[in-house]
Amino acid sequence: RWDFETIRTVDPWGTELGRRFRGGLRRWNMTVQWWLAAYVHRRGPRRHPVLRNAWTMLASAYWHGLHGGQHLAFLSVPLWLAAEAAAEDALGGYFGVPLERLGGWKGSLLRGGQWFLKMRAFEYLSMGFVLRGAAATLRFWASVHFCLHLLPL
């Protein structure tokens, strides 16, 4: 039986309001995300998550077409995924609880900050889709001093 969930491709609330970069990716173009997870991501090297994510993003970039700006954007995603995981681990170690369980104003502030950075990263990386060309995308990123490449580093 077919229903709306079979063809639903975007969860707008999850994409916009979710605080995690990884979660935002999973809720955008969900049918393609499922295919990439099932047939590309799971076949990548488990011991090297950055390489596994880069492999998956390269496949996604190819899926979207041969536009250099899009490839640059997709290949920047593993940097953000690694930075997010490292920051969550560090904060969890510092506070002794995972970020999602940290209460009070500190938890709210950190989760809100994470959401804010996720949204800025999506905006920044989306320029590869808007401008499409590698030279134009690099020119834009240079105009803002590659700030959202340097921040996750």
Side-chain angles (χ1 to χ4, degrees), residues 94-144:
Y94 180 79
F95 290 109
V97 295
L99 187 57
E100 61 269 5
R101 290 196 356 231
L102 182 62
W105 67 270
K106 289 179 186 174
S108 296
L109 182 66
L110 289 170
R111 286 187 297 275
Q114 186 179 22
W115 170 83
F116 181 81
L117 287 174
K118 176 206 74 166
M119 295 305 290
R120 301 303 71 85
F122 278 12
E123 293 163 356
Y124 178 83
L125 295 177
S126 73
M127 292 309 292
F129 290 85
V130 173
L131 300 172
R132 298 182 82 160
T137 302
L138 289 170
R139 205 168 28 257
F140 170 76
W141 287 346
S143 76
V144 293

Side-chain angles (χ1 to χ4, degrees), residues 5-82:
E5 290 302 316
T6 306
I7 60 166
R8 185 172 74 140
T9 189
V10 176
D11 171 7
W13 291 106
T15 301
E16 296 293 326
L17 299 178
R19 70 177 169 85
R20 299 184 77 224
F21 190 89
R22 181 177 303 277
L25 288 176
R26 286 183 178 164
R27 287 171 180 82
W28 183 261
N29 210 350
M30 295 183 310
T31 51
V32 174
Q33 290 292 333
W34 178 89
W35 187 89
L36 287 168
Y39 295 104
V40 179
H41 190 75
R42 290 187 183 128
R43 295 176 186 198
R46 291 186 185 272
R47 284 189 253 168
H48 305 286
V50 173
L51 290 176
R52 192 177 194 190
N53 290 332
W55 163 260
T56 305
M57 291 297 108
L58 186 60
S60 186
Y62 182 73
W63 178 298
H64 282 80
L66 299 176
H67 303 287
Q70 291 176 350
H71 284 250
L72 290 171
F74 276 118
L75 291 175
S76 300
V77 167
L79 175 65
W80 275 94
L81 293 173

